[in-house]
């Protein structure tokens, strides 16, 4: 499911996480994976439609129901993805993206050996970048983080993809 998520194969990743839940209905990370997959392409600034947001929030809520058996790190992943959907009827998408980035920064700092947390933090930096920032601060920071990890994990299914998107600006 994670490899499919990294490849932006969102329908297939949701199906894979649903297979995990069929085998273990208490897997909080499967609910996290579904919620993050429902966000779709994190690099597109499109405002997510209410139906999509409701589906993501339902996955977050389902994950919260089984979170008591999850580890602290897994609960951190769930809490972070919840920021993308929290109060979406009243809180604008930019504010939710910034809250998600802050939560991923916190999770990554709390678990420095978790390369996936660092990857998703870098991705959230690029996704939450202000379109008016022509210094590309977030994108350059994300790219540097991802390049460092790529040197150690050249076969990772998402790193090269995310590096490209981090630097995907003509200027």
């Amino acid at each position: 499911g994670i490899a499919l998520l990294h490849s932006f194969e969102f329908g297939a990743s949701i199906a894979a996480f649903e297979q995990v839940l069929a085998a273990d209905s208490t897997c909080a990370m499967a609910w996290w994976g579904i919620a993050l997959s429902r966000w779709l392409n994190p690099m597109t600034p499109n405002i997510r439609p209410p139906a999509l947001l409701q589906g993501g929030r339902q996955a977050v809520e389902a994950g919260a129901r089984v979170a008591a058996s999850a580890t602290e790190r897994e609960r951190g992943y769930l809490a972070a993805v919840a920021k993308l959907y929290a109060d979406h009827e009243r809180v604008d998408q930019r504010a939710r993206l910034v809250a998600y980035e802050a939560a991923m920064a916190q999770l990554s700092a709390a678990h420095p050996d978790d390369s996936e947390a660092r990857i998703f933090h870098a991705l959230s930096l690029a996704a939450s970048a202000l379109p008016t920032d022509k210094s590309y601060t977030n994108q350059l920071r994300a790219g540097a983080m991802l390049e460092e990890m790529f040197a150690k994990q050249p076969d990772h299914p998402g790193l090269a993809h995310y590096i490209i998107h981090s630097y995907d600006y003509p200027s």
Side-chain angles (χ1 to χ4, degrees), residues 6 15 39-40 44 49 55 66-67 74 89 106 113 120 127 144 157 171:
H6 283 309
W39 186 253
L40 302 177
T44 59
V66 298
E74 292 168 336
E89 300 86 353
Q106 185 177 17
D113 294 334
F120 284 112
S171 55

Side-chain angles (χ1 to χ4, degrees), residues 11-169:
S13 68
I14 289 169
F17 290 122
E18 287 172 342
Q19 287 180 334
V20 170
L21 289 168
D24 179 4
S25 62
T26 67
C27 181
M29 289 303 289
W31 288 114
W32 163 83
I34 291 170
L36 195 56
S37 297
R38 290 203 184 282
W39 186 253
L40 302 177
N41 184 342
M43 304 309 287
T44 59
N46 305 4
I47 301 299
R48 276 37 179 199
L52 182 143
L53 294 169
Q54 187 57 34
R57 183 164 52 196
Q58 287 171 347
V60 167
E61 290 168 353
R65 287 192 292 276
V66 298
S69 63
T71 66
E72 174 268 330
R73 182 175 68 91
E74 292 168 336
R75 286 190 300 275
Y77 273 95
L78 280 169
V81 77
K83 304 289 186 193
L84 292 173
Y85 300 102
D87 203 16
H88 66 81
E89 300 86 353
R90 288 175 284 289
V91 177
D92 69 65
Q93 183 168 297
R94 167 109 182 104
R96 295 190 323 271
L97 270 170
V98 169
Y100 173 66
E101 185 277 319
M104 287 309 303
Q106 185 177 17
L107 181 68
S108 180
H111 302 281
D113 294 334
D114 183 347
S115 63
E116 290 298 313
R118 190 164 162 84
I119 290 166
F120 284 112
H121 175 227
L123 187 56
S124 72
L125 274 168
S128 65
L130 281 170
T132 56
D133 177 12
K134 299 308 177 190
S135 68
Y136 305 103
T137 302
N138 277 23
Q139 296 94 325
L140 291 171
R141 184 171 164 218
M145 291 167 63
L146 295 164
E147 285 187 55
E148 178 185 319
M149 288 182 280
F150 185 74
K152 297 173 188 168
Q153 300 178 59
D155 294 328
H156 187 280
L159 285 171
H161 182 194
Y162 299 149
I163 291 167
I164 290 167
H165 284 298
S166 294
Y167 297 133
D168 199 12
Y169 300 88

